[in-house]
Amino acid sequence: MLEGKNIILGITGGIAAYKMTSLTRLLVKEGASVKIIMSPEAVQFVSPLVLSTLSNNEVLIHLHENNQWNNHIELATWADLMIIAPATANTIAKAAHGLSDSLLLATFLSKKSNILFVPAMDEDMWLNPITQQNIDILKSFHHDILPVGEGFLASGIEGKGRMLEPEEILLYIKEHYGRSKSLSSKKILITAGPTQESIDPVRFISNHSSGKMGVALAEVCYENGAEVTLILGPTDVKPIYKGIEVVSVITAEEMKITCDEYFKDTNILFMAAAVADYKPMTRSSQKIKKKDEELELKLCKNDDILKGLGLKKKEDQVIIGFALESENEIENALSKLKSKNLDFIVLNSLKDEGAGFGYETNQVTLINKKGDKFPSDLLSKKEIAKFILSHLFF
Ligand code: PMT
């Protein structure tokens, strides 16, 4: 997700500096080009040799090295993003007041935007009003400051001041600097997961949908710049990005009400939820007692949410339905595509091993209105989401 991005990682002298080996590896794995600048103190905490090996670039430390000037202006211009991590109280103070007594600070001062500080220090230093004022100064220049974590600190005490973990830093970078703009003008609505239809206060009818497919779609649409709302049935699976709006629902009726509310302002709808077709006719207010050998449960039909939205669809809206079939797959999917007025349908066959409910992987056939079929391989659900988007938009 960071392919083509040039990133400077500025490492200052704190114990958390050793974690920058992991962050470097994660950034490179995401496709970024990484150049590392260390403060002279940081080399006491982590080896430049390890960092240069992981980043595939020479690590720079001083303004002058081997009778040569390290051009901080060129470095600042090259970088799409400069991360200062760990950012010590000392570096934060110098940055806030415009000191430039190191290559790292000179590069910071030469760069106008896209600078991310990841503070790490002891609790007393973090809570000191001087540090907090310095943080406010940096914020006032629109620099990004990540919060500190809580826990064991190098000094032995427990408290605020821990640097966030490399995975958390990476997630923030991906969300704030890594999104492409290919779907940036689109509002996308996605449904995912099962619905639950109550029988009594302790029992319900549902299905095995985990929500993973819809959540993967939401993440990939968001990574491509779309504004994403996810209407999510009961599941523990959640999108990793904070910027995805999640509306939790339980029943098919709640899902319908929420879909109706959002659909008006939606450009593209993906209906990946496994909505219960039927619900109990009545819900007992008390737990049903075990009595007879047999218990008859009367069910009534839930509204078909997708069919209702298909009827309301405007010309500039696109609807993608899903179909989970166990027999006559193509025929059934095509009939759903027509009867629900869809633009595309994503067919899941119960016959495919490793595909459908609950798995981390999926295998689908995307079908358009003309009946053209695009079969995928068995891939992770995130890759399937990319496969679907690539056939729809790119
Ligand atoms: O959640 P996972 O574990 O990752 O699994 C993903 C999935 C297999 C659930 C998903 O890929 C999928 O196939 N979802 C649709 C399953 C389904 O309910 O298919 P269906 O053939 O019953 O419904 C067809 C379409 O109508 C679906 O888009 C469904 O959301 C919609 N529908 C169905 C019934 C109803 N009352 N209202 C609806 O809107």
Side-chain angles (χ1 to χ4, degrees):
M1 194 177 162
L2 298 175
E3 291 92 1
K5 296 266 183 244
N6 292 335
I7 298 180
I8 288 181
L9 177 55
I11 305 177
T12 74
I15 185 70
Y18 79 93
K19 292 189 179 173
M20 291 305 100
T21 53
S22 303
L23 184 61
T24 306
R25 197 174 43 80
L26 291 172
L27 292 170
V28 170
K29 210 169 149 203
E30 286 288 334
S33 298
V34 180
K35 288 187 181 175
I36 293 176
I37 304 177
M38 298 176 82
S39 73
E41 294 74 25
V43 299
Q44 307 293 328
F45 295 92
V46 58
S47 146
L49 178 62
V50 174
L51 291 163
S52 70
T53 309
L54 291 171
S55 65
N56 304 312
N57 274 312
E58 184 189 356
V59 170
L60 305 172
I61 301 166
H62 303 289
L63 278 159
H64 304 270
E65 279 171 272
N66 305 325
N67 290 328
Q68 274 195 336
W69 174 51
N70 279 322
N71 189 332
H72 51 86
I73 300 154
E74 249 175 46
L75 282 164
T77 312
W78 173 83
D80 299 305
L81 167 68
M82 180 170 186
I83 309 161
I84 302 183
T88 57
N90 182 45
T91 297
I92 286 171
K94 285 181 175 178
H97 295 279
L99 272 71
S100 65
D101 60 0
S102 67
L103 176 63
L104 193 154
L105 284 163
T107 309
F108 159 72
L109 272 187
S110 306
K111 188 156 173 55
K112 292 175 194 68
S113 59
N114 291 344
I115 300 170
L116 172 67
F117 286 83
V118 192
M121 63 197 76
D122 254 307
E123 184 174 67
D124 291 346
M125 296 169 93
W126 174 250
L127 294 178
N128 191 308
I130 301 173
T131 304
Q132 288 306 312
Q133 198 173 52
N134 289 334
I135 294 276
D136 288 343
I137 292 173
L138 292 174
K139 281 185 183 165
S140 74
F141 290 108
H142 306 291
H143 299 316
D144 282 345
I145 319 281
L146 283 184
V148 292
E150 260 186 272
F152 275 109
L153 302 168
S155 59
I157 63 160
E158 209 173 321
K160 289 187 181 144
R162 275 179 71 88
M163 190 186 73
L164 294 190
E165 293 303 321
E167 289 75 12
E168 294 172 291
I169 301 170
L170 178 74
L171 190 59
Y172 184 90
I173 293 166
K174 281 165 71 175
E175 181 152 11
H176 288 82
Y177 303 101
R179 292 170 70 200
S180 87
K181 294 198 167 34
S182 44
L183 292 175
S184 63
S185 55
K186 303 289 181 215
K187 287 189 177 176
I188 299 187
L189 183 64
I190 298 169
T191 66
T195 63
Q196 286 177 0
E197 314 298 328
S198 277
I199 298 170
D200 67 14
V202 294
R203 304 179 180 96
F204 55 79
I205 297 175
S206 190
N207 58 62
H208 296 293
S209 170
S210 63
K212 287 176 189 165
M213 189 61 243
V215 167
L217 260 168
E219 288 175 357
V220 173
C221 290
Y222 184 75
E223 286 168 5
N224 281 288
E227 196 181 311
V228 180
T229 301
L230 176 67
I231 302 176
L232 192 57
T235 169
D236 289 338
V237 180
K238 299 277 178 290
I240 53 174
Y241 301 117
K242 291 197 177 86
I244 295 176
E245 184 188 11
V246 179
V247 185
S248 297
V249 295
I250 308 276
T251 63
E253 198 177 333
E254 284 172 19
M255 188 171 275
K256 180 183 174 335
I257 293 168
T258 317
C259 282
D260 285 344
E261 190 186 321
Y262 279 86
F263 186 65
K264 298 185 273 293
D265 293 326
T266 291
N267 301 115
I268 302 156
L269 165 71
F270 289 94
M271 195 79 194
V275 186
D277 287 322
Y278 290 90
K279 65 178 175 191
M281 280 204 37
T282 53
R283 177 185 184 275
S284 165
S285 58
Q286 301 299 326
K287 185 180 169 195
I288 298 171
K289 292 279 174 223
K290 185 166 58 174
K291 282 193 301 218
D292 304 327
E293 281 306 305
E294 287 179 9
L295 172 73
E296 222 166 71
L297 204 57
K298 262 207 158 164
L299 304 179
C300 63
K301 239 184 181 173
N302 270 324
D303 285 343
D304 190 319
I305 305 172
L306 191 54
K307 197 165 189 172
L309 297 175
L311 285 173
K312 288 186 207 159
K313 181 163 78 103
K314 289 182 261 158
E315 272 214 349
D316 56 352
Q317 290 180 306
V318 178
I319 302 188
I320 301 101
F322 280 68
L324 181 63
E325 304 293 339
S326 56
E327 54 184 351
N328 302 327
E329 289 99 330
I330 299 281
E331 206 182 315
N332 287 338
L334 275 169
S335 134
K336 283 176 186 171
L337 183 134
K338 283 203 182 79
S339 66
K340 301 190 189 206
N341 192 24
L342 310 178
D343 297 286
F344 297 89
I345 194 150
V346 180
L347 168 64
N348 257 121
S349 168
L350 273 174
K351 289 180 189 148
D352 289 330
E353 281 279 315
F357 282 152
Y359 292 105
E360 296 300 324
T361 49
N362 207 359
Q363 184 164 12
V364 300
T365 303
L366 179 70
I367 308 175
N368 67 16
K369 269 182 178 173
K370 290 189 278 176
D372 301 328
K373 297 166 202 69
F374 307 95
S376 80
D377 293 330
L378 182 70
L379 300 165
S380 72
K381 285 189 171 160
K382 201 115 183 216
E383 290 304 318
I384 289 289
K386 289 179 190 166
F387 167 88
I388 294 170
L389 287 197
S390 71
H391 281 80
L392 299 187
F393 307 115
F394 310 134

